């Protein structure tokens, strides 16, 4: 499996299934086909595309996420399979029964890892002082992050990471578009891992927005945001101005193939996410934090 | 730039077969095998030669097992697995024109 992303970016495409393939056609002309097992997410960003129910079923069988994008590549809906795991009943129960203190401990680890990675990115960018001050926050994170160090670190991080005057605003039309795109790709991959592990994506450890059906996905993707940022920052350092061309999109989507250091050698992010999801299942079942993240490797 | 799709990790699997198609039973068996390959995401390179790209050796092993299960009783099936680096060396002709072998991409845009 390649864990590829398929994006439908042009209007008028018709998507169907032929044996083990997703077939994309424009009227009668077949434009291409991709093996279903190789797709980790199908992103629908064009205004108009038609797809068959058969396709939705076939994608669900592979626990592939189907994402509809609104403006600026912000995901408005994610379609995930109802049950991707034979043990899911048991797992969902242990997820529901997870105690508040355990959830707080889990959130603490997620925030720590995110802050640590943010510090790594800053020191990679050679922003010495800020990287130390951000990294130092990691140790101060308490259970459940009551001091909201996550937000404090993010504030310092964004102030220096991209360029002076940059503000992370999901609706802006500048570099923010690149961040939106790469986070959409990341979110899709995390969603797939969560469902693959038989967990309920709506039940987060920290994010508990009543309107967010993907709270757990948003929780688990936090530590990897800095890795995604590093891809965007690398792109920005190479060319100015950076636009969201097909070539740029390919580079952004490649984040899922970047290696992380695990206990036993290196592993690409798309596989590490499955390890993380299973380590969360273990944590729920053992009532102790066993999260495994993998170490980020920056160039 | 960090390499994301390593040519040493990605594998290509070629399935080459010679199946008897004299009796209707044999034709049916051959057809079922071909469809099985297509269900697994194999593309036809030429008649009786199917190929598929895979993320790693471990994944290739899984596919090998799935193919093995459905190999017909008669005839021969040869399966070759090579790295993307080796696959790159393939020279392809269509008519007299040289064409590039298919590329491995992380993102397919349509």
């Amino acid at each position: 499996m390649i864990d590829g992303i398929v994006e439908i970016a042009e209007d008028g495409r018709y998507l169907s299934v032929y044996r083990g393939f997703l077939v994309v056609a424009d009227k009668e002309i077949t434009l291409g086909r991709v093996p279903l097992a190789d797709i980790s997410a199908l992103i629908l960003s064009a205004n108009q595309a038609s797809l068959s129910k058969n396709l939705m079923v076939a994608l669900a069988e592979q626990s592939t996420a189907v994402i509809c994008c609104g403006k600026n590549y912000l995901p408005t809906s994610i379609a995930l399979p109802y049950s991707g795991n034979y043990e899911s009943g048991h797992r969902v129960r242990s997820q529901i029964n997870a105690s508040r203190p355990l959830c707080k401990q889990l959130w603490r680890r997620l925030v720590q890892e995110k802050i640590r990675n943010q510090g790594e990115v800053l020191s990679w960018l050679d922003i010495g002082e800020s990287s130390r001050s951000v990294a130092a926050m990691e140790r101060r994170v308490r259970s459940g992050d009551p001091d909201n160090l996550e937000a404090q670190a993010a504030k310092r991080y964004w102030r220096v990471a991209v360029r002076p005057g940059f503000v992370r605003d999901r609706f802006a039309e500048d570099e923010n578009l690149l961040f939106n795109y790469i986070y959409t790709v990341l979110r899709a991959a995390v969603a797939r891992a969560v469902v693959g592990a038989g967990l309920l994506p709506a039940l987060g450890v920290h994010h508990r927005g009543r309107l967010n059906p993907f709270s757990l996905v948003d929780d688990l993707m936090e530590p990897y945001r800095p890795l995604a940022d590093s891809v965007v920052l690398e792109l920005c350092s190479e060319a100015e101005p950076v636009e969201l061309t097909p070539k740029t999109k390919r580079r952004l989507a490649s984040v899922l193939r970047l290696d992380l250091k695990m206990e036993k050698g290196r592993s690409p992010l798309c596989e590490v996410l499955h390890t993380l999801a299973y380590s969360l299942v273990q944590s729920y079942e053992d009532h102790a934090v066993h999260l495994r993240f993998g170490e980020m490797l920056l160039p | 730039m960090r390499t994301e799709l390593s040519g040493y990790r990605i594998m290509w699997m070629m399935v080459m077969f010679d199946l008897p198609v004299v009796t209707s039973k044999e034709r049916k068996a051959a057809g079922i095998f071909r469809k099985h390959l297509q269900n697994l995401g194999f593309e036809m390179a030429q008649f009786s030669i199917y190929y598929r790209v895979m993320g790693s050796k471990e994944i290739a092993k899984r596919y090998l097992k799935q193919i093995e299960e459905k190999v017909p009783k008669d005839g021969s099936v040869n399966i070759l697995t090579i790295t993307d680096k080796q696959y790159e060396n393939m020279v392809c002709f269509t008519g007299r024109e040289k064409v590039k072998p298919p590329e491995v991409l992380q993102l397919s845009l349509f």
Side-chain angles (χ1 to χ4, degrees):
Chain A
M1 274 149 255
I2 297 292
D3 275 280
I5 307 282
V6 175
E7 187 190 329
I8 306 302
E10 300 278 331
D11 283 352
R13 300 288 185 249
Y14 180 76
L15 285 65
S16 58
V17 185
Y18 173 74
R19 302 222 171 272
F21 296 90
L22 155 69
V23 182
V24 183
D26 181 25
K27 296 199 181 80
E28 254 85 87
I29 308 148
T30 303
L31 298 171
R33 49 193 209 171
V34 187
L36 285 165
D38 289 354
I39 310 172
S40 94
L42 172 65
I43 298 177
L44 303 170
S45 62
N47 289 325
Q48 185 247 315
S50 0
L51 40 145
S52 64
K53 186 218 79 178
N54 271 358
L55 176 65
M56 293 298 282
V57 172
L59 289 171
E61 279 166 3
Q62 309 280 351
S63 62
T64 300
V66 179
I67 296 195
C68 292
C69 282
K71 269 191 181 151
N72 290 356
Y73 283 98
L74 295 169
T76 52
S77 89
I78 308 180
L80 288 167
Y82 195 57
S83 162
N85 192 289
Y86 66 100
E87 271 199 287
S88 78
H90 171 66
R91 289 192 173 157
V92 167
R93 254 191 302 281
S94 68
Q95 190 186 358
I96 292 170
N97 292 336
S99 64
R100 277 299 284 157
L102 176 64
C103 285
K104 283 181 165 184
Q105 285 296 334
L106 288 167
W107 179 238
R108 173 177 180 238
R109 278 296 294 128
L110 287 162
V111 171
Q112 277 182 328
E113 200 62 23
K114 180 185 182 186
I115 294 179
R116 198 165 79 101
N117 287 344
Q118 283 175 330
E120 293 275 320
V121 168
L122 292 182
S123 72
W124 165 67
L125 290 171
D126 211 11
I127 308 177
E129 203 189 317
S130 306
S131 84
R132 274 189 297 280
S133 78
V134 168
M137 291 172 133
E138 182 199 336
R139 268 168 273 127
R140 288 173 22 220
V141 182
R142 292 188 292 145
S143 180
D145 192 21
D147 313 310
N148 207 358
L149 285 167
E150 192 222 346
Q152 289 186 45
K155 204 172 158 194
R156 285 194 204 178
Y157 170 80
W158 285 113
R159 204 183 291 154
V160 288
V162 187
R163 58 174 163 79
F166 177 80
V167 183
R168 174 78 186 117
D169 170 3
R170 304 198 301 160
F171 299 98
E173 298 271 345
D174 49 6
E175 290 98 326
N176 275 295
L177 276 178
L178 308 185
F179 286 107
N180 290 348
Y181 192 83
I182 202 163
Y183 292 156
T184 298
V185 168
L186 182 61
R187 183 174 277 114
V190 176
R192 191 188 196 200
V194 164
V195 174
L199 295 166
L200 265 188
L203 208 61
V205 295
H206 172 77
H207 287 105
R208 279 169 191 261
R210 266 187 228 178
L211 300 175
N212 184 0
F214 306 103
S215 304
L216 185 59
V217 177
D218 291 338
D219 288 337
L220 293 186
M221 73 181 274
E222 290 298 344
Y224 301 103
R225 281 178 191 267
L227 179 67
D229 299 342
S230 76
V231 177
V232 176
L233 295 170
E234 203 178 17
L235 259 165
C236 292
S237 70
E238 284 165 19
E240 279 293 341
V242 197
E243 281 167 39
L244 202 56
T245 58
K247 202 176 151 218
T248 318
K249 284 181 181 175
R250 287 217 164 89
R251 277 285 291 281
L252 295 173
S254 76
V255 66
L256 300 183
R257 292 304 304 182
L258 291 182
D259 276 336
L260 283 95
K261 208 172 116 204
M262 301 296 282
E263 293 108 86
K264 288 181 193 164
R266 294 172 169 205
S267 198
L269 177 61
C270 53
E271 277 162 44
V272 173
L273 293 175
H274 288 280
T275 312
L276 174 68
Y278 276 101
S279 72
L280 180 65
V281 172
Q282 277 179 345
S283 307
Y284 283 141
E285 288 175 359
D286 284 5
H287 311 289
V289 181
H290 296 300
L291 296 182
R292 286 190 288 160
F293 298 103
E295 254 175 72
M296 210 166 64
L297 299 161
L298 294 170
Chain B
M1 179 184 162
R2 287 171 276 180
T3 53
E4 55 280 353
L5 291 167
S6 157
Y8 296 98
R9 197 185 270 165
I10 291 174
M11 307 298 287
W12 289 83
M13 188 178 277
M14 302 281 248
V15 182
M16 300 163 270
F17 52 85
D18 227 337
L19 302 174
V21 283
V22 181
T23 65
S24 71
K25 238 186 189 166
E26 288 170 342
R27 275 196 296 277
K28 192 169 181 204
I32 288 174
F33 183 64
R34 250 171 13 85
K35 279 176 194 160
H36 178 58
L37 289 177
Q38 290 176 335
N39 288 340
L40 290 177
F42 280 81
E43 287 267 13
M44 188 173 84
Q46 290 170 20
F47 293 123
S48 313
I49 301 182
Y50 282 72
Y51 69 96
R52 194 196 201 292
V53 64
M54 292 159 193
S56 68
K57 271 194 195 113
E58 292 72 30
I59 293 166
K61 249 187 217 163
R62 283 214 292 274
Y63 276 100
L64 196 59
K65 234 175 132 188
Q66 282 176 286
I67 296 170
E68 215 183 304
E69 282 167 9
K70 299 264 166 92
V71 169
K73 265 197 222 110
D74 304 305
S76 70
V77 177
N78 300 317
I79 301 171
L80 175 69
T81 312
I82 54 173
T83 62
D84 190 37
K85 279 279 167 205
Q86 292 166 319
Y87 185 84
E88 253 177 31
N89 292 332
M90 182 161 69
V91 184
C92 310
F93 293 100
T94 307
R96 292 234 115 208
E97 226 171 286
K98 248 190 202 181
V99 288
K100 268 178 51 185
E103 239 182 299
V104 185
L105 293 172
Q106 174 82 47
L107 176 74
S108 316
L109 276 174
F110 293 103

